[in-house]
Amino acid sequence: QVQVVESGGGLVQTGGSLRLSCAASVSISSILTMEWYRQAPVKQREFVGTITSTGSINYVESVKGRFTISRDNAKNTMYLQMNSLKPEDTAVYYCVVNTRMNMYWGQGTQVTVSS
């Protein structure tokens, strides 16, 4: 059974930084994309960014220049470096792993940015 586990969330002040990790128990060769989503209270889930198997990366406009996605293939882990955090970044952040056969979601990690 494939497991996707996020970690690294927490409480940070405005302007601070956090790094989220997403570890996937699936062969890196089977992964098409790894993605980050987030969901704030009473809001719809929002796409944050993605990295493809070829290393192509895209972000939602609101995080460009502040967030950076990277991947360590040897560890089957994706990272989300979040800098210059704002209160509106407060949300549960989810990792999604897309393979040829299925889509797998993690349980989410809470990020809270205090003003």
Side-chain angles (χ1 to χ4, degrees):
Q1 184 175 353
V2 174
Q3 288 187 318
V4 178
V5 180
E6 304 98 333
S7 61
L11 174 64
V12 65
Q13 291 185 333
T14 297
S17 298
L18 282 174
R19 188 177 82 154
L20 306 184
S21 299
C22 169
S25 64
V26 61
S27 170
I28 194 70
S29 63
S30 69
I31 295 176
L32 297 177
T33 65
M34 296 182 76
E35 301 169 348
W36 288 102
Y37 282 78
R38 65 186 180 184
Q39 187 165 21
V42 303
K43 289 188 177 180
Q44 288 189 328
R45 192 166 293 180
E46 174 189 37
F47 169 82
V48 175
T50 184
I51 182 166
T52 71
S53 58
T54 59
S56 178
I57 299 173
N58 285 290
Y59 304 95
V60 67
E61 192 65 34
S62 60
V63 308
K64 285 182 179 178
R66 300 188 298 122
F67 290 10
T68 302
I69 290 175
S70 62
R71 185 179 63 199
D72 185 334
N73 289 340
K75 297 181 178 180
N76 280 15
T77 299
M78 174 178 64
Y79 302 98
L80 181 66
Q81 177 66 44
M82 304 186 293
N83 299 328
S84 302
L85 282 162
K86 306 174 181 179
E88 51 264 44
D89 295 317
T90 295
V92 177
Y93 284 71
Y94 297 91
C95 174
V96 179
V97 176
N98 290 294
T99 70
R100 292 175 179 81
M101 300 298 292
N102 216 331
M103 172 187 289
Y104 304 95
W105 286 76
Q107 81 289 348
T109 185
Q110 176 71 46
V111 171
T112 303
V113 185
S114 63
S115 57

